[in-house]
Amino acid sequence: MSAFAGLLRKEWLHILRDRRTLFVVIFMPIVQVILFGYAIRTDIWAIRLAIVDPSPDASTLEIRNRFSGSDVFELVRILPSAGPLDRLFAAGDIQEAVVFDADFANRLARGLPARVLVVVDASEPNSGSAMESYAIGVIQGYQRDIALRSGGVQIFPEVRMRFNPTRASSNLFVPGLIAFVLTIISALMTAISLTREKETGTMEILLVSPLKPLEIIVGKVLAYVVIGFVSVLLVVAEARLIFSVPLRGSLLLLLAEGLLYILTSLSLGILISSRTSSQRVAMIGALAGTMLPTILLSGFIFPIESMPWPLRLISNVVPAKWFVLIARGVMLKGVGLEYLWHETLILLGMTLLLVAAATRSFKIRLA
């Protein structure tokens, strides 16, 4: 056997011996293609719609039927007045509302122009524009059909964008960037740092010290908690001073939620480090387990509503999804804990579960 053939054989044996890395390298591209293929979509489906119809009649009922018969809309509320709309938009129960004037049908019957108000949640500007176009399309379709039957009829849709009236894309991305930055600092750096300790053998030195495993973990990650919290302060300041992103809610609530998300990401980083044997595998695992889901499945860039149901289901176990909802709720909608308790409880439950799993796994690994 030549020296070159021997070198090739040695490299193959080295790759085959590290089966965990081989598994990650082979299956990572497959998972990436599936995720990117299904997640990168800008079309919107199942728009949660409310219709305010103070005086139902044949005209408004026909338009309501057209909305409910469309695959694009999911009619979730029919209201007699516009009073509850603020609460429904703030809670995220609806994404769009169509409000008829009380004399809508009378004006159409008399051949006078009629007005209909379309209210859109524009915290995601691209989705907001698409939702506006879909609703206007339904109304204009009705106008064309009735014009053929009854002659010239004019319906004037008036559009109002909530939470982000200028449709600035920075208002969409900056709150999501907080989750992205915290994921890098907390999960990725923690996983690599702890794995490096195991690789260099310094972890054994800590183990023979009087410190308990939990104290070692806390001591290792506490610095990243401080760094992550400082990052939250800096990103929020940048958002306000450079990008002029509004902060309509409580700054204290946003910082507290940021601290909770830091703990969630740190726990995930510890869990990954306890299951890996090298910095390379820890980095790949952290990228696959935290970075990709944060970018693709958190709603940070791509609307979750446009994804197929398996990805929507998986997105519920991505912590970044809940933090992005909280950050946008506080910064753009100005809502407080009375509207965000559900997302906060889910994030808190994930944190407790990950802390318990990470501590147990780390103890087993050290034993």
Side-chain angles (χ1 to χ4, degrees):
M1 180 182 298
S2 67
F4 182 71
L7 176 63
L8 290 179
R9 183 173 181 275
K10 190 271 290 181
E11 289 300 321
W12 273 110
L13 290 175
H14 178 71
I15 293 172
L16 293 175
R17 191 179 300 119
D18 190 357
R19 294 183 179 178
R20 187 171 296 180
T21 303
L22 182 63
F23 178 83
V24 172
V25 170
I26 290 176
F27 285 95
M28 171 89 64
I30 298 174
V31 173
Q32 284 179 323
V33 169
I34 293 174
L35 280 177
F36 277 95
Y38 281 108
I40 301 177
R41 295 184 178 186
T42 55
D43 45 349
I44 307 294
W45 300 98
I47 300 168
R48 298 185 296 279
L49 176 72
I51 292 182
V52 178
D53 192 356
S55 54
D57 52 53
S59 300
T60 58
L61 287 176
E62 184 173 345
I63 296 177
R64 281 162 48 177
N65 289 336
R66 291 188 178 219
F67 275 109
S68 60
S70 168
D71 294 334
V72 177
F73 294 97
E74 180 185 354
L75 188 56
V76 296
R77 291 282 196 285
I78 296 176
L79 304 167
S81 69
L85 287 184
D86 286 344
R87 179 180 55 79
L88 293 172
F89 271 111
D93 293 337
I94 60 172
Q95 298 169 283
E96 189 169 22
V98 174
V99 183
F100 293 108
D101 281 346
D103 59 346
F104 181 82
N106 289 333
R107 294 186 69 84
L108 286 183
R110 292 158 54 195
L112 297 175
R115 189 185 73 101
V116 60
L117 177 63
V118 178
V119 187
V120 181
D121 181 347
S123 53
E124 296 183 21
N126 295 332
S127 300
S129 298
M131 288 188 285
E132 173 197 349
S133 300
Y134 292 151
I136 300 269
V138 172
I139 295 169
Q140 288 178 340
Y142 170 77
Q143 179 178 317
R144 285 194 300 270
D145 292 344
I146 197 173
L148 293 176
R149 299 196 301 260
S150 310
V153 180
Q154 288 184 316
I155 300 176
F156 292 104
E158 181 180 327
V159 179
R160 183 178 301 167
M161 293 290 181
R162 289 184 61 104
F163 309 127
N164 186 13
T166 61
R167 309 186 198 189
S169 58
S170 57
N171 292 350
L172 166 68
F173 292 123
V174 172
L177 278 174
I178 299 176
F180 185 71
V181 170
L182 292 182
T183 302
I184 294 176
I185 294 174
S186 304
L188 182 62
M189 298 307 295
T190 303
I192 294 175
S193 172
L194 289 176
T195 310
R196 184 173 60 237
E197 294 277 3
K198 290 194 294 186
E199 273 190 323
T200 56
T202 52
M203 187 62 73
E204 282 72 12
I205 298 174
L206 291 174
L207 286 176
V208 297
S209 68
L211 294 171
K212 297 177 180 178
L214 183 59
E215 293 174 328
I216 295 173
I217 294 174
V218 172
K220 292 294 297 180
V221 303
L222 193 57
Y224 292 105
V225 175
V226 176
I227 294 172
F229 192 72
V230 172
S231 298
V232 173
L233 293 173
L234 293 176
V235 172
V236 172
E238 286 176 341
R240 293 288 298 126
L241 299 176
I242 299 177
F243 298 103
S244 301
V245 177
L247 178 56
R248 300 188 176 104
S250 167
L251 175 62
L252 288 178
L253 176 61
L254 181 61
L255 296 179
E257 299 283 2
L259 187 60
L260 178 61
Y261 183 68
I262 290 170
L263 295 177
T264 310
S265 300
L266 283 173
S267 305
L268 198 54
I270 296 170
L271 187 62
I272 291 171
S273 69
S274 67
R275 297 288 182 179
T276 54
S277 56
S278 67
Q279 294 182 64
R280 181 180 55 185
V281 178
M283 187 173 67
I284 294 174
L287 286 172
T290 60
M291 300 292 288
L292 277 179
T294 298
I295 295 173
L296 297 176
L297 300 178
S298 68
F300 163 38
I301 299 175
F302 309 108
I304 294 175
E305 288 80 6
S306 63
M307 299 177 189
W309 70 265
L311 289 185
R312 292 202 302 271
L313 193 63
I314 294 172
S315 71
N316 290 322
V317 298
V318 177
K321 170 191 173 180
W322 304 105
F323 181 73
V324 169
L325 288 174
I326 291 170
R328 286 179 181 159
V330 175
M331 298 183 77
L332 301 183
K333 297 183 179 180
V335 297
L337 205 56
E338 69 274 16
Y339 287 102
L340 299 172
W341 64 269
H342 177 249
E343 290 81 358
T344 303
L345 277 182
I346 291 176
L347 204 54
L348 181 61
M350 286 183 174
T351 304
L352 295 176
L353 186 64
L354 286 170
V355 166
T359 305
R360 182 175 183 276
S361 180
F362 207 77
K363 284 180 178 177
I364 293 173
R365 192 76 181 179
L366 295 177

